[in-house]
Amino acid sequence: MPIVTIQVTREGSQPGNDSVTADEKARLIAGVSQVLLDVLNKPLEATFVVIQEVEMENWGWGGLPVEAYRKQRNSTPG
Amino acid sequence: MPIVTIQVTREGSQPGNDSVTADEKARLIAGVSQVLLDVLNKPLEATFVVIQEVEMENWGWGGLPVEAYRKQRNSTPG
Amino acid sequence: MPIVTIQVTREGSQPGNDSVTADEKARLIAGVSQVLLDVLNKPLEATFVVIQEVEMENWGWGGLPVEAYRKQRNSTPG
Amino acid sequence: MPIVTIQVTREGSQPGNDSVTADEKARLIAGVSQVLLDVLNKPLEATFVVIQEVEMENWGWGGLPVEAYRKQRNSTPG
Amino acid sequence: MPIVTIQVTREGSQPGNDSVTADEKARLIAGVSQVLLDVLNKPLEATFVVIQEVEMENWGWGGLPVEAYRKQRNSTPG
Amino acid sequence: MPIVTIQVTREGSQPGNDSVTADEKARLIAGVSQVLLDVLNKPLEATFVVIQEVEMENWGWGGLPVEAYRKQRNSTPG
């Protein structure tokens, strides 16, 4: 009866995508359900998965909205 | 001060609806708040309820997106 | 497939109890599962309920730990 | 590595706004991350913040959808 | 920056264990982090995993505490 | 009516402490409630705060339990 909640920013994983695709969601669901089966022997039909996509401006990191934080990190000299 | 979070798929409970209606949400809020009052004696004004509707493709069950899982179950003989 | 999460402070509902009892938990589970059945027609076996008991000092209200806040409210004149 | 989740109703804080603005979100992120730094000495880059905006009809208080509850409170004589 | 929350009942996966072991937790963390890398190309160091163990009496299924529900299902004739 | 959930590892912020102290929790509650007041004009008495302390072995980062991850990072040469 596990519940797995996956929170990710709403953005594409590849150029041309602006969000997680239905196929990627299906693979996330399959993948984490399999982990619960492999590690804890939980049958697939006992696991719920909930994916929550979070708008970029609603996700903070480093005290900043995540896009601003990524820019700051990338501009940090090596 | 209880907090009750209700997560459901975004779909209608009846033909013609494609999501939970405002009236159904009001009844969910009233119902679960009443349960907290009845069982733990929590006053209604102390309870917060948050309803989270989850897109069908974001909900996994049986290692599959939930629509695919429902189809598979329904086609299982016996 | 609803998931209902109930967060309450870890305290008794009656003198002599210092936490939610197993019987009260069973009644919370039964009660909210029934609400989902009544309002959205979700079968009982499709609903998961998770009860989270939160230590008193971990719950804040009014900018204070909840016990301090309750005392402050109770001492407020009329 | 703290995670701070902020749940608020989707509404404006001032006349003319109908939701939390990007600037307000940035200030929420900055503010709560700073609290974690000040109190627990967690570096800013170790803190994630997730803001969840909840539709007004999905938020319950006092056994009612929150807008209905606010009206009821405001109409309560002194 | 994904956050993966895994909620499981506090019980052993094998006879002799009465909870999830540290080794099993490490494998859950490794497994789901790898899924996020494989599917969405999220670097391992960007993923947080939180495992929440829920007491058996705090988990409801089928309108009952989960242990009672499991007994009922197992006693259902074929 | 905001709800702020703060998840941190169960560990001390200073030598000699092995968990977050009651005083630190009170300051977290005061601090984040003040942020909601300052930024969104939410009255203190409308904000709930829930602090969740997560066992070190239940928190993952970098595909590892967090203690193992910290050791690995610290041993990375320059």
Side-chain angles (χ1 to χ4, degrees):
Chain A
M1 274 135 3
I3 302 169
V4 182
T5 305
I6 302 174
Q7 294 173 295
V8 291
T9 41
R10 191 189 305 277
E11 62 184 318
S13 63
Q14 303 194 3
N17 291 353
D18 59 3
S19 67
V20 182
T21 67
D23 176 64
E24 288 167 337
K25 291 173 182 174
R27 289 162 58 205
L28 288 174
I29 290 168
V32 298
S33 300
Q34 187 65 38
V35 170
L36 271 291
L37 173 56
D38 292 344
V39 177
L40 294 182
N41 206 25
K42 302 286 186 184
L44 292 181
E45 63 269 22
T47 295
F48 282 1
V49 181
V50 175
I51 301 170
Q52 296 181 337
E53 296 171 278
V54 178
E55 299 298 328
M56 294 290 282
E57 70 180 26
N58 287 14
W59 197 294
W61 194 8
L64 296 169
V66 67
E67 272 186 308
Y69 182 63
R70 287 181 185 165
K71 278 181 198 157
Q72 178 186 292
R73 275 164 65 112
N74 289 341
S75 66
T76 305
Chain B
M1 277 131 5
I3 302 169
V4 182
T5 305
I6 302 174
Q7 294 174 295
V8 291
T9 41
R10 192 189 304 277
E11 62 184 317
S13 63
Q14 302 192 6
N17 291 353
D18 60 3
S19 67
V20 182
T21 67
D23 177 64
E24 288 167 339
K25 291 173 183 175
R27 289 163 59 206
L28 288 174
I29 290 167
V32 298
S33 301
Q34 188 65 40
V35 170
L36 272 289
L37 173 58
D38 291 346
V39 177
L40 294 182
N41 206 28
K42 302 286 186 185
L44 292 182
E45 63 269 22
T47 295
F48 282 1
V49 182
V50 175
I51 301 170
Q52 295 181 336
E53 296 171 277
V54 178
E55 299 299 327
M56 294 291 282
E57 70 180 25
N58 287 14
W59 197 294
W61 194 7
L64 296 169
V66 67
E67 273 188 308
Y69 182 62
R70 287 182 185 163
K71 277 181 199 157
Q72 178 187 292
R73 274 165 64 112
N74 289 341
S75 65
T76 306
Chain C
M1 277 134 0
I3 302 168
V4 182
T5 305
I6 301 175
Q7 293 173 297
V8 292
T9 40
R10 193 188 304 274
E11 62 185 316
S13 64
Q14 303 193 4
N17 291 353
D18 61 2
S19 67
V20 182
T21 67
D23 177 64
E24 288 167 337
K25 290 174 184 176
R27 289 163 58 207
L28 287 175
I29 290 167
V32 300
S33 300
Q34 187 64 40
V35 171
L36 270 291
L37 173 57
D38 292 345
V39 177
L40 294 183
N41 207 27
K42 301 287 185 184
L44 292 181
E45 64 269 24
T47 294
F48 282 3
V49 182
V50 175
I51 300 171
Q52 295 180 338
E53 296 172 278
V54 178
E55 298 300 327
M56 294 292 281
E57 69 180 27
N58 287 13
W59 195 295
W61 194 8
L64 296 168
V66 67
E67 272 186 308
Y69 182 64
R70 287 180 184 164
K71 278 181 198 156
Q72 177 186 291
R73 274 165 64 114
N74 290 341
S75 66
T76 305
Chain D
M1 277 134 1
I3 302 169
V4 181
T5 305
I6 302 174
Q7 294 174 296
V8 292
T9 42
R10 192 189 303 275
E11 62 185 317
S13 64
Q14 303 193 5
N17 292 355
D18 60 2
S19 68
V20 182
T21 67
D23 177 64
E24 289 167 338
K25 290 174 184 175
R27 289 163 58 205
L28 288 173
I29 290 167
V32 300
S33 301
Q34 187 66 38
V35 170
L36 271 291
L37 172 57
D38 291 345
V39 177
L40 294 182
N41 205 27
K42 301 287 187 186
L44 293 182
E45 63 269 23
T47 296
F48 282 1
V49 181
V50 175
I51 301 170
Q52 295 181 336
E53 296 171 276
V54 178
E55 299 298 328
M56 294 291 283
E57 70 180 26
N58 286 15
W59 197 294
W61 194 8
L64 295 170
V66 68
E67 272 187 309
Y69 182 63
R70 286 181 185 165
K71 279 182 198 155
Q72 177 186 293
R73 274 165 65 112
N74 289 341
S75 66
T76 306
Chain E
M1 273 133 4
I3 301 169
V4 181
T5 305
I6 301 174
Q7 294 173 295
V8 291
T9 41
R10 193 189 304 275
E11 62 184 317
S13 64
Q14 302 194 5
N17 291 352
D18 60 4
S19 67
V20 181
T21 67
D23 176 64
E24 288 167 338
K25 290 174 183 175
R27 289 163 58 205
L28 288 174
I29 289 168
V32 299
S33 300
Q34 187 66 39
V35 170
L36 271 290
L37 172 58
D38 291 346
V39 177
L40 294 183
N41 206 28
K42 302 285 186 185
L44 292 181
E45 63 268 24
T47 295
F48 282 3
V49 181
V50 176
I51 300 171
Q52 296 181 336
E53 294 171 278
V54 178
E55 298 299 327
M56 294 292 282
E57 70 181 24
N58 287 14
W59 196 295
W61 193 9
L64 295 169
V66 66
E67 271 185 310
Y69 182 63
R70 287 181 185 163
K71 279 181 198 156
Q72 178 186 290
R73 274 165 64 114
N74 290 340
S75 66
T76 306
Chain F
M1 277 134 0
I3 302 168
V4 182
T5 305
I6 301 175
Q7 294 173 297
V8 290
T9 41
R10 193 189 303 275
E11 61 184 318
S13 63
Q14 303 194 4
N17 291 352
D18 61 1
S19 67
V20 182
T21 68
D23 176 65
E24 288 168 337
K25 290 174 183 175
R27 289 163 58 206
L28 287 174
I29 290 168
V32 299
S33 300
Q34 187 66 39
V35 170
L36 271 292
L37 173 57
D38 291 345
V39 177
L40 294 183
N41 207 26
K42 302 286 187 186
L44 292 182
E45 64 269 23
T47 295
F48 282 4
V49 181
V50 175
I51 300 171
Q52 295 181 338
E53 296 172 276
V54 178
E55 298 300 328
M56 293 291 283
E57 71 180 25
N58 287 13
W59 196 295
W61 194 7
L64 295 169
V66 67
E67 273 187 306
Y69 182 63
R70 287 181 185 164
K71 278 181 200 156
Q72 177 186 292
R73 274 165 64 112
N74 290 340
S75 66
T76 306

